[in-house]
Amino acid sequence: MKSLNAQKYLKKIGLGKEDYYFWKQVGKALLCTYTLFGVAWVYNETSPLGWWTLKPRPKEERELAHLYERREFPYPGDAEAMEEFVAKGGMIGTSIGPKGIMESDKDSYNYQKELENKKLEQEAQKLWVRMRNEVISELQEKGYDVE
């Protein structure tokens, strides 16, 4: 039974009583390191300096960064804030929007109406081109020179 002594086995693999101080220091170092990484991660996500974060960005994005601003998203459980956010155009789903364009006067109804108008305009343009091509082909069949 003496050969199965737990302290003797732990001492062989580096976990004996004389190794406690070493592992205590390793634990402190890991705790400090993870704390620093956690603080850097939180600071990166909620940076008070606006666009300055720890993430590297390509040159094009850095040059165009002044054109965009961050959009704050409401907490999903707050129904009133979510309705207000959707009414202001938050339903688009982007986290950044161009500066200078007033998005606060757009509500979801106006946005949908704008999309419908754009679709109608495209369909009208397609129909116009199709009718024009048919008329041109009929005139060419009759022998008229149409350019």
Side-chain angles (χ1 to χ4, degrees):
M1 280 297 187
K2 288 188 176 191
S3 62
L4 296 176
N5 190 356
Q7 285 296 330
K8 188 177 180 183
Y9 178 72
L10 290 174
K11 185 177 178 184
K12 282 186 178 181
I13 62 170
L15 298 173
K17 282 193 184 260
E18 56 275 348
D19 297 323
Y20 287 166
Y21 180 74
F22 169 75
W23 289 111
K24 183 179 173 184
Q25 295 299 97
V26 168
K28 284 182 188 176
L30 286 173
L31 181 67
C32 290
T33 303
Y34 284 127
T35 302
L36 285 175
F37 278 119
V39 167
W41 177 70
V42 167
Y43 183 77
N44 195 24
E45 293 296 317
T46 61
S47 175
L49 302 176
W51 280 91
W52 186 83
T53 59
L54 301 176
K55 297 178 213 163
R57 290 193 317 263
K59 182 180 175 187
E60 298 84 14
E61 187 177 336
R62 282 194 307 266
E63 290 172 353
L64 298 174
H66 67 281
L67 297 174
Y68 291 90
E69 62 187 2
R70 281 193 178 268
R71 184 179 299 160
E72 294 295 325
F73 290 99
Y75 182 70
D78 189 2
E80 183 179 322
M82 283 297 288
E83 286 175 13
E84 182 180 329
F85 178 71
V86 170
K88 286 184 177 178
M91 61 183 279
I92 300 169
T94 58
S95 59
I96 55 176
K99 281 187 180 176
I101 297 176
M102 289 300 293
E103 294 184 12
S104 59
D105 61 349
K106 275 188 183 177
D107 58 355
S108 58
Y109 177 74
N110 286 344
Y111 180 71
Q112 192 163 353
K113 204 171 188 180
E114 187 179 313
L115 285 177
E116 287 174 5
N117 287 344
K118 191 183 280 187
K119 270 189 175 180
L120 183 67
E121 222 23 73
Q122 287 175 347
E123 290 298 321
Q125 187 70 20
K126 284 181 188 176
L127 187 61
W128 168 253
V129 170
R130 191 179 307 145
M131 287 173 50
R132 185 176 145 260
N133 289 340
E134 285 179 16
V135 169
I136 288 174
S137 63
E138 283 180 17
L139 288 174
Q140 285 175 345
E141 285 175 7
K142 290 182 181 178
Y144 294 105
D145 186 26
V146 181
E147 286 189 22

